[in-house]
């Protein structure tokens, strides 16, 4: 079986280093808010190219606390609007509604699957306070038009960088493009922990201070609570594991790019729409390799029958989820088309050449049922 993602194999590459740092932390007796976290935060901030990194419990909390911090700063208030792509994972929307803000859903660009920036200005109102861009599947969502819109309307740009760590736009890494960014280190990410983990990165010192306090019960000094915070801290062991793996991230991302190039160059099937390689390959780190086809379910079963595991990211768009039933009648045709047709092929830095070749062969072997 060619698995969609071989997490065990990925982490086995660094097993000795991971076990060593874990043992050191266990022996130290210090498990939260210690030197390992500070070291990882410093290294991550340096890698991305920003002044501040705050380790948090997961990617959803990263986005939740960014918005909460802006509320504490008076930049936003309940009922304000945040522009967001309609085809994102539900966590992006949850972060907005959890803060009693209003998500304004916008269709994606069908060629990139990222937010269609040309549609943003027509959705801006006097309650719009931010644009939350999602670098979906690992491809940077950015251009000069986005920057100009944000400047013109004095909007914050928040990056949901859960899937694109290491990607770049004109030499600047995703996560350093906007005002602030949320990261996820869920085990399956390009930089994955051995459990839940996340981070917020920004150049805004005051924002960073509030976010750090919010994640520690709203406190910067023990037993002194400035805000109604929560418990969302990145522990020492996960921070140390991520610090080990950060050193290898660029090399792993480049291996992903090479696999994507092979898929795109060698899959020739009129039933399948392949993703595009950006003009600058560094704009994409291929967290997911997502194809589209009207024969999605049949293709998935065909691949599984031939021992190739795939996943669907994501089968139901947020506005069609029961959790957001008040949005269920809204219509986003491109978003719905994407969610009905997408299929993610195996993709990781440990995918072997013969496995890629076998997937390509199967993809080219799918035939129209009428022929």
């Amino acid at each position: 079986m060619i698995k969609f993602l071989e997490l065990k194999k990925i982490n086995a590459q660094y097993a000795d280093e991971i076990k060593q740092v874990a043992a050191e932390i266990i022996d130290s007796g210090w498990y939260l808010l210690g030197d390992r976290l500070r070291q990882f935060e410093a290294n991550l901030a340096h890698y991305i190219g920003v002044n501040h990194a705050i380790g948090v419990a997961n990617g959803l909390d990263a986005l939740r606390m960014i918005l909460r911090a802006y509320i504490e700063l008076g930049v936003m208030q309940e009922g304000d609007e945040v522009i967001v792509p309609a085809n994102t994972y539900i966590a992006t929307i949850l972060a907005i509604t959890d803060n009693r803000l209003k998500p304004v859903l916008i269709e994606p660009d069908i060629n990139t699957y990222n937010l269609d920036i040309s549609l943003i200005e027509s959705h801006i109102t006097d309650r719009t306070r931010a644009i939350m861009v999602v670098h979906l599947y690992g491809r940077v969502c950015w251009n000069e038009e986005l920057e100009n819109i944000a400047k013109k309307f004095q909007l914050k740009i928040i990056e949901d960088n859960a899937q694109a760590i290491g990607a770049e736009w004109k030499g600047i890494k995703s996560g350093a493009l906007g005002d602030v960014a949320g990261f996820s280190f869920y085990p399956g990410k390009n930089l994955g922990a051995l459990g839940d983990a996340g981070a917020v990165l920004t150049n805004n010192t005051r924002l960073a201070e509030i976010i750090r306090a919010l994640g520690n019960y709203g406190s910067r000094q023990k037993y002194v609570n400035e805000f109604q915070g929560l418990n969302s801290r990145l522990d020492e062991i996960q921070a140390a594991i991520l610090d080990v793996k950060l050193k290898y991230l660029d090399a792993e991302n480049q291996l992903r790019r090479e696999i994507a190039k092979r898929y795109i160059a060698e899959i020739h099937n009129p039933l399948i729409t392949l993703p595009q390689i950006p003009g600058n390959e560094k704009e994409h780190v291929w967290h997911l390799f997502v194809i589209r086809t009207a024969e999605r379910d049949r293709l998935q079963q065909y691949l599984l029958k031939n021992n190739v595991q795939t996943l669907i990211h994501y089968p139901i768009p947020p506005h069609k989820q029961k959790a957001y039933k008040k949005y269920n009648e809204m219509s986003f045709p491109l978003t719905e088309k994407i969610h009905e047709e997408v299929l993610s092929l195996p993709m990781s830095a440990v995918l072997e050449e013969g496995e890629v070749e076998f997937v390509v062969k199967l993809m080219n072997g799918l035939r129209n049922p009428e022929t």
Side-chain angles (χ1 to χ4, degrees):
M1 171 69 74
I2 298 176
K3 292 186 178 180
F4 171 74
L5 187 62
E6 288 269 19
L7 283 179
K8 184 176 179 180
K9 191 173 181 180
I10 290 169
N11 290 309
Q13 302 172 101
Y14 320 119
D16 289 344
E17 288 180 82
I18 288 171
K19 290 174 183 177
Q20 180 180 338
V21 296
E24 290 171 359
I25 293 164
I26 292 168
D27 290 343
S28 76
W30 194 284
Y31 309 126
L32 282 171
L33 303 178
D35 291 340
R36 295 289 186 163
L37 175 61
R38 286 188 285 272
Q39 177 180 306
F40 172 62
E41 290 176 336
N43 289 338
L44 180 63
H46 180 264
Y47 173 79
I48 297 297
V50 297
N51 293 331
H52 305 284
I54 305 101
V56 300
N58 54 70
L60 173 56
D61 278 3
L63 297 177
R64 289 169 66 204
M65 289 194 292
I66 287 168
L67 293 169
R68 177 67 179 282
Y70 275 131
I71 291 170
E72 295 290 350
L73 284 169
V75 174
M76 300 178 190
Q77 60 182 347
E78 182 177 335
D80 282 344
E81 297 172 353
V82 179
I83 287 171
V84 65
N87 65 314
T88 186
Y89 181 55
I90 198 170
T92 319
I93 313 297
L94 288 170
I96 298 169
T97 58
D98 184 64
N99 282 285
R100 297 183 179 180
L101 301 169
K102 180 182 177 182
V104 176
L105 307 179
I106 294 183
E107 290 270 50
D109 181 329
I110 195 65
N111 296 309
T112 66
Y113 306 119
N114 279 331
L115 178 67
D116 188 338
I117 293 168
S118 71
L119 301 177
I120 291 176
E121 191 161 351
S122 64
H123 288 77
I124 292 173
T125 73
D126 59 0
R127 296 302 300 270
T128 307
R129 296 292 178 265
I131 304 166
M132 188 175 286
V133 296
V134 181
H135 306 305
L136 198 64
Y137 306 151
R139 180 170 184 162
V140 170
C141 177
W142 202 266
N143 64 19
E144 288 80 6
E145 182 184 0
L146 175 65
E147 294 176 346
N148 292 336
I149 291 170
K151 185 176 180 180
K152 178 180 177 180
F153 293 95
Q154 296 184 304
L155 304 177
K156 300 298 182 183
I157 302 180
I158 301 167
E159 297 176 73
D160 180 341
N161 200 38
Q163 299 186 1
I165 186 169
E168 296 181 10
W169 170 264
K170 296 186 176 180
I172 301 172
K173 284 190 168 63
S174 61
L177 292 162
D179 294 282
V180 61
F183 288 67
S184 169
F185 304 121
Y186 178 78
K189 304 297 187 185
N190 291 32
L191 179 63
L194 300 190
D196 278 320
V200 175
L201 277 79
T202 184
N203 283 315
N204 185 322
T205 299
R206 179 60 178 153
L207 189 69
E209 289 173 350
I210 293 175
I211 290 168
R212 191 177 294 282
L214 285 171
N216 189 36
Y217 300 96
S219 173
R220 284 185 287 183
Q221 179 182 346
K222 195 165 186 176
Y223 303 130
V224 178
N225 301 82
E226 300 174 57
F227 313 103
Q228 294 179 32
L230 60 154
N231 177 9
S232 184
R233 302 176 295 202
L234 179 61
D235 68 69
E236 289 285 280
I237 288 181
Q238 296 298 349
I241 290 168
L242 289 165
D243 206 35
V244 167
K245 296 177 71 176
L246 180 62
K247 297 179 294 185
Y248 306 102
L249 177 61
D250 285 343
E252 287 205 1
N253 281 344
Q254 190 55 40
L255 288 171
R256 288 173 176 268
R257 292 188 183 107
E258 297 305 317
I259 292 167
K261 287 178 190 175
R262 281 203 62 189
Y263 276 152
I264 291 169
E266 298 175 24
I267 295 174
H268 305 286
N269 190 322
L271 297 176
I272 294 166
T273 300
L274 296 168
Q276 298 177 350
I277 296 176
N280 180 350
E281 69 168 19
K282 289 190 175 181
E283 291 174 25
H284 210 319
V285 293
W286 301 98
H287 170 59
L288 300 172
F289 188 93
V290 180
I291 63 95
R292 283 192 0 256
T293 176
E295 301 290 331
R296 193 262 304 282
D297 294 342
R298 188 165 68 89
L299 173 59
Q300 187 174 41
Q301 289 303 312
Y302 160 73
L303 292 172
L304 185 59
K305 185 178 178 180
N306 286 278
N307 295 313
V308 174
Q309 183 186 45
T310 58
L311 292 179
I312 299 171
H313 296 88
Y314 304 95
I316 306 172
H319 72 281
K320 293 296 184 183
Q321 297 282 0
K322 185 178 180 181
Y324 289 111
K325 56 186 177 184
K326 68 179 180 179
Y327 300 145
N328 285 176
E329 299 306 313
M330 298 178 74
S331 176
F332 296 97
L334 282 181
T335 292
E336 289 154 24
K337 177 181 176 67
I338 288 168
H339 284 256
E340 289 167 0
E341 295 185 349
V342 290
L343 188 68
S344 300
L345 302 186
M347 168 58 76
S348 78
V350 296
L351 199 62
E352 297 178 4
E353 185 174 341
E355 293 174 324
V356 175
E357 185 177 336
F358 185 64
V359 173
V360 168
K361 181 180 178 180
L362 290 176
M363 295 293 286
N364 287 332
L366 181 72
R367 294 290 177 260
N368 193 310
E370 296 176 0
T371 61

